[in-house]
């Protein structure tokens, strides 16, 4: 059985953008395939500590797992939920892969260049995390790794490391699918970019300082509705889906479509030509408030115990699979 693997960093509360653009599509994908694939959902807590964490990391981790469940993730025996740091093989394989990867290819990672800003004070984890990510994937022979486009380069790096390793030692790792095939497999995940409410030419990001730019999943629904009402639009006074010239309005249509589960085309047909932006804003604000109310109610129903039970099972599974793969790798290097 092939494996689909995904993780989302738990450094803070997630935004509506993270939810609609990453979590919901992932949950749909998992539910669609969990009869025929292993679905590995892990919390990359070792990746979290390469940058600041808001609040308590352990609490954030539990909350992130609850997000998946509240988003509708269906649990069966093929769905495995685990924390990266509870499976020590990740760190071990990362070290071994460090000795396979080159400075040249790792230095070329755009994420590293962006995050380090060329400063020598940048921590080594920021440089090395793509190698840890390769270990996260290769330990489980994962074929599909649904992630955003900012991570595609890391998939290519993972593929190169796996192929180099296999050339030297034999077929030990499954080479993950090419990014083009990853995109095809993800289908719905393509191109969803919720925009910043105040500066709609940018995407909504949890690290943006301005509160009114973003909707957090734990926002009070009425407060979230107000943020939508005060979202930046334009002075054209005519609703049209045009991300280039009318990004604010287009963003509202996009959000409306995703929260109501209505195809974007249908939402556009319904609203195109409307001259009162306030009417559209109100409809989106109501929808967002309702979505948050329902989501938060589901979150409240999920107990910590439920999460720990899933983790116990998932971590037992993950350690078995990962340790078996690690042993093969150790043997290849005559460490065992
Ligand atoms: P940060 O500001 O810390 O970079 P972020 O909000 O950009 O936070 P990430 O942790 O970088 O979130 O990404 C988590 C996941 O959410 C990724 O899969 C990413 O593609 C997706 N994502 C992030 N922002 C958006 C958005 N505005 N719309 C849709 N998907 C998004
Ligand atoms: Mg980001």
């Amino acid at each position: 059985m092939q494996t689909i693997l995904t993780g989302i960093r738990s450094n803070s509360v997630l935004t509506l953008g993270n939810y609609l653009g990453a979590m919901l599509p992932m949950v749909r994908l998992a539910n669609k395939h969990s009869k025929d694939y292993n679905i590995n959902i892990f919390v990359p807590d070792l990746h979290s500590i390469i940058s600041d964490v808001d609040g308590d990391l352990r609490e954030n981790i539990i909350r992130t797992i609850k997000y998946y469940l509240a988003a509708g993730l269906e649990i069966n025996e093929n769905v495995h939920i685990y924390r990266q740091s509870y499976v020590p093989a990740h760190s071990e394989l990362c070290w071994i892969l460090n000795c396979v990867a080159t400075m040249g290819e790792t230095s070329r990672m755009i994420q590293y260049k962006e995050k380090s800003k060329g400063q020598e004070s940048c921590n080594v984890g920021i440089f090395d995390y793509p190698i840890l990510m390769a270990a996260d994937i290769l330990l489980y022979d994962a074929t599909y790794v649904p992630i955003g486009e900012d991570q595609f380069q890391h998939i290519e790096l993972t593929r190169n490391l796996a192929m180099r390793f296999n050339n030297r030692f034999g077929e030990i790792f499954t080479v993950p699918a090419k990014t083009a095939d990853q995109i095809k497999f993800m289908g719905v995940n393509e191109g969803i970019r919720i925009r910043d409410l105040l500066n709609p030419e940018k995407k909504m990001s949890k690290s943006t300082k301005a509160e009114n730019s973003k909707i957090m999943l734990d926002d009070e629904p009425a407060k979230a509705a107000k943020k939508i009402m005060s979202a930046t639009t334009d002075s054209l006074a005519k609703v049209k889906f045009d991300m280039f010239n009318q990004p604010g309005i287009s963003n509202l249509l996009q959000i409306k479509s995703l929260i109501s589960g209505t195809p974007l085309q249908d939402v556009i047909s319904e609203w195109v030509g409307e001259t009162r932006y306030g009417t559209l804003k109100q409809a989106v604000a109501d929808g967002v408030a309702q979505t948050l109310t329902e989501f938060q109610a589901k979150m409240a129903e999920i107990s910590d115990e439920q999460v720990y039970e899933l983790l116990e099972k998932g971590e037992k599974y993950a350690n078995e699979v990962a340790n078996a793969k690690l042993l093969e790798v150790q043997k290849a290097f005559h460490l065992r």
Side-chain angles (χ1 to χ4, degrees):
M1 201 155 65
Q2 290 186 314
T3 296
I4 305 172
L5 178 137
T6 188
I8 195 160
R9 290 209 310 155
S10 315
N11 286 42
S12 68
V13 176
L14 297 184
T15 67
L16 189 67
N18 301 138
Y19 178 70
L20 296 175
M23 187 151 276
L24 214 49
M26 180 55 218
V27 166
R28 292 209 183 106
L29 195 74
N31 289 348
K32 181 169 157 198
H33 293 295
S34 65
K35 281 195 190 65
D36 318 308
Y37 287 82
N38 279 309
I39 311 288
N40 288 21
I41 295 182
F42 77 111
V43 182
D45 52 358
L46 295 171
H47 288 287
S48 284
I49 61 172
I50 66 172
S51 59
D52 293 339
V53 175
D54 289 345
D56 184 276
L57 182 54
R58 288 166 307 176
E59 283 171 18
N60 292 351
I61 290 167
I62 301 304
R63 190 180 52 232
T64 301
I65 296 165
K66 288 184 182 177
Y67 282 153
Y68 280 106
L69 300 174
L73 179 69
E74 292 160 14
I75 303 293
N76 67 25
E77 70 285 357
N78 295 335
V79 178
H80 314 289
I81 301 178
Y82 53 93
R83 293 162 288 189
Q84 183 185 37
S85 76
Y86 282 73
V87 187
H90 289 243
S91 310
E92 182 80 21
L93 182 61
C94 174
W95 176 259
I96 294 175
L97 292 176
N98 277 338
C99 303
V100 175
T102 67
M103 285 299 290
E105 64 190 344
T106 314
S107 310
R108 277 197 293 276
M109 294 297 114
I110 295 162
Q111 286 285 307
Y112 160 62
K113 289 188 198 161
E114 281 179 1
K115 290 203 157 104
S116 67
K117 301 185 187 92
Q119 286 170 350
E120 292 213 337
S121 58
C122 138
N123 72 58
V124 178
I126 289 178
F127 175 72
D128 202 33
Y129 93 88
I131 309 292
L132 178 58
M133 187 170 157
D136 299 337
I137 297 167
L138 298 178
L139 276 176
Y140 303 91
D141 289 317
T143 304
Y144 294 110
V145 189
I147 34 154
E149 57 190 325
D150 54 335
Q151 299 292 323
F152 286 167
Q153 203 186 14
H154 298 160
I155 295 294
E156 289 305 321
L157 175 67
T158 303
R159 285 171 46 81
N160 289 337
L161 293 177
M163 288 187 278
R164 190 175 312 149
F165 192 95
N166 287 351
N167 277 338
R168 192 164 151 200
F169 297 111
E171 298 297 309
I172 289 183
F173 292 130
T174 295
V175 180
K178 290 195 185 90
T179 42
D181 295 330
Q182 300 273 356
I183 295 170
K184 230 184 271 164
F185 186 75
M186 286 187 274
V188 290
N189 213 0
E190 273 177 85
I192 297 173
R193 273 283 169 270
I194 302 301
R195 305 302 183 98
D196 181 300
L197 296 176
L198 296 181
N199 301 296
E201 38 319 303
K202 294 195 311 183
K203 78 165 194 72
M204 185 182 286
S205 287
K206 55 178 138 54
S207 57
T208 303
K209 291 271 174 316
E211 278 299 312
N212 286 337
S213 281
K214 54 189 183 178
I215 289 177
M216 308 307 294
L217 289 178
D218 64 353
D219 271 354
E220 186 126 349
K223 182 170 140 196
K226 272 202 193 117
K227 291 181 184 177
I228 296 285
M229 294 309 289
S230 61
T232 303
T233 51
D234 54 65
S235 51
L236 298 172
K238 206 161 197 191
V239 171
K240 187 177 169 204
F241 189 83
D242 178 349
M243 273 296 181
F244 190 72
N245 294 307
Q246 298 185 257
I249 285 295
S250 305
N251 191 38
L252 294 179
L253 294 170
Q254 174 76 267
I255 293 174
K256 182 93 179 68
S257 153
L258 291 168
I259 58 175
S260 61
T262 314
L264 181 59
Q265 264 321 318
D266 295 357
V267 175
I268 295 171
S269 311
E270 188 189 339
W271 289 95
V272 73
E274 172 66 60
T275 52
R276 292 157 305 169
Y277 286 173
T279 320
L280 173 63
K281 278 184 170 178
Q282 191 63 58
V284 178
D286 291 347
V288 166
Q290 192 192 339
T291 299
L292 287 183
T293 304
E294 289 167 7
F295 184 77
Q296 290 166 7
K298 282 195 201 127
M299 286 290 286
E301 277 171 21
I302 306 161
S303 68
D304 288 7
E305 287 68 36
Q306 222 174 314
V307 173
Y308 282 116
E309 215 171 281
L310 290 171
L311 286 174
E312 198 177 270
K313 272 200 216 116
E315 283 158 10
K316 183 164 178 286
Y317 167 87
N319 272 295
E320 277 167 19
V321 174
N323 287 339
K325 181 61 69 178
L326 178 63
L327 182 62
E328 284 185 70
V329 174
Q330 288 169 325
K331 281 182 176 163
F333 271 107
H334 293 262
L335 290 160
R336 295 288 182 277

